Amino acid sequence: MNVNALIEMAWSDEATFSDIEREFGIKEPEVKRIMQKNLKPGSYRLWRKRVRWIKEKQKKSRD
């Protein structure tokens, strides 16, 4: 598995956890663990904040 490609995809605003699972065969909890292990703590917190914001944005657009 190419961790750099996974991280790049996870940082992308367009990619969802479903997209990552299709591409790499890894579910959301494992993606979070990989990101936490490979990013600096501040970068990981920023990424999680962005993921929550994007999920909320997508949820509102569906409603």
Side-chain angles (χ1 to χ4, degrees):
M1 174 187 54
N2 184 344
V3 175
N4 289 333
L6 173 81
I7 291 171
E8 185 177 332
M9 190 171 187
W11 267 107
S12 169
D13 288 344
E14 291 83 30
T16 64
F17 284 112
S18 298
D19 297 333
I20 294 170
E21 186 174 353
R22 272 193 299 279
E23 180 80 22
F24 296 96
I26 299 172
K27 296 192 181 296
E28 182 175 345
E30 183 63 20
V31 172
K32 289 176 183 176
R33 279 192 290 276
I34 291 169
M35 294 294 279
Q36 190 170 25
K37 181 179 175 188
N38 289 282
L39 297 177
K40 293 177 183 177
S43 296
Y44 177 74
R45 284 191 299 272
L46 179 63
W47 174 73
R48 289 294 297 135
K49 186 176 180 180
R50 288 181 70 219
V51 167
R52 284 190 293 273
W53 178 79
I54 291 168
K55 277 186 171 183
E56 191 63 34
K57 188 171 107 176
Q58 289 170 344
K59 182 180 175 189
K60 285 181 181 178
S61 70
R62 280 184 262 141
D63 292 345

